[in-house]
Amino acid sequence: MTLRGAPGETEMELSLARKETVAEGVVRLTLRRPDSGPVPSWEPGAHIDVTVAPGLVRQYSLCGDPADRSALQVAVLREPAGRGGSRAVHDDLAEGDVLPIRGPRNNFRLRPAGRYLFVAGGIGITPLIPMIAAVQAGEADWRLVYGGRSRDSMAFRTELCHAYGDRVTVCPQDETGLLDLDSLLTEPLPGTAVYCCGPAALLAAVEARCAAWPAGSLHVERFTPVQDPGLRTTFEISLASSGRTLTVTSEHSILETLEEAGVAVLSSCREGTCGTCETAVLAGEPEHRDSLLTEEERAACDTMMICVSRSRSSRLVLDL
């Protein structure tokens, strides 16, 4: 089993070589090594952690060309109601700034399929761009349906339409309304993989309509955590490497409990959306509250995101 947040991930500093506006409220950052060396390799669907300001670490999908080892590219939407990361990117970062990054990490891998349907909402287009390029290069059948508030707010719209023609359907909400998901998804299409990224409401709507599709057809990436079910019980965790046993109270997460006990673990989003803190489970039954694991991965009970997930059993044994 390969853990998404396994130790040994690349940590390095990259220079902001270019910052450019690519749509209304969206900037693209091109990051290069100060010594002009190659950046880490990555595959479509991957993201990186970027320290955009002291204490502000954010995850951004890579939207460039995986074959281009000279730079990494991400696009960032300004979110006025956010927690400050996008404001720091838009208002404070300048070309020449050096930014610590970690990764790449891939929670949204492109799987082999007979055909592909890509559904993007707003800035959710970013991880789909390199996927589409890979699928096109492999000569697979595919289609993109791309929704957004308006044409001006839809990053990379012009480039996608120019490169791929009628494979791309652009649906600005102020012109066409919400995406017509009923006609798009109500009838299951055998052999089709659906990849969707965008706002939580879009993901929920797509999930509902794909409920009758064959298992494993739908692949989503979330920018926001799933709703916390609320009930939090007390349980124990045992650390396999040391034999230590710690009590996780209802007021604390596993991650917080480990940190308070002086156990060093990698973490980033603390919301169950990035995968940095993924930890192997050797015994016990996790209660998954993350936004990443598939139903098959959850049923296996061999890994969990310790920043948000808890335990159904009275004790968990973790590979720590």
Side-chain angles (χ1 to χ4, degrees), residues 205-223:
V206 170
E207 286 174 325
R209 287 160 176 81
C210 286
W213 285 51
S217 296
L218 176 61
H219 309 267
V220 302
E221 182 166 62
R222 302 180 188 277
F223 296 143

Side-chain angles (χ1 to χ4, degrees), residues 252-282:
H252 294 84
S253 68
I254 297 175
L255 176 60
E256 291 168 340
T257 302
L258 291 167
E259 290 175 335
E260 290 179 2
V263 180
V265 288
L266 285 174
S267 66
S268 183
C269 73
R270 308 179 85 92
E271 295 181 326
T273 58
C274 76
T276 305
C277 69
E278 186 172 4
T279 301
V281 178
L282 304 181

Side-chain angles (χ1 to χ4, degrees), residues 118-125 144-148 153-157 160 168-172 179:
F118 298 102
V119 183
I123 197 63
I125 191 64
L144 167 65
V145 179
Y146 181 13
S153 71
M154 299 171 71
F156 309 109
R157 169 183 57 83
L160 288 165
V168 177
T169 302
V170 173
C171 303
L179 295 180

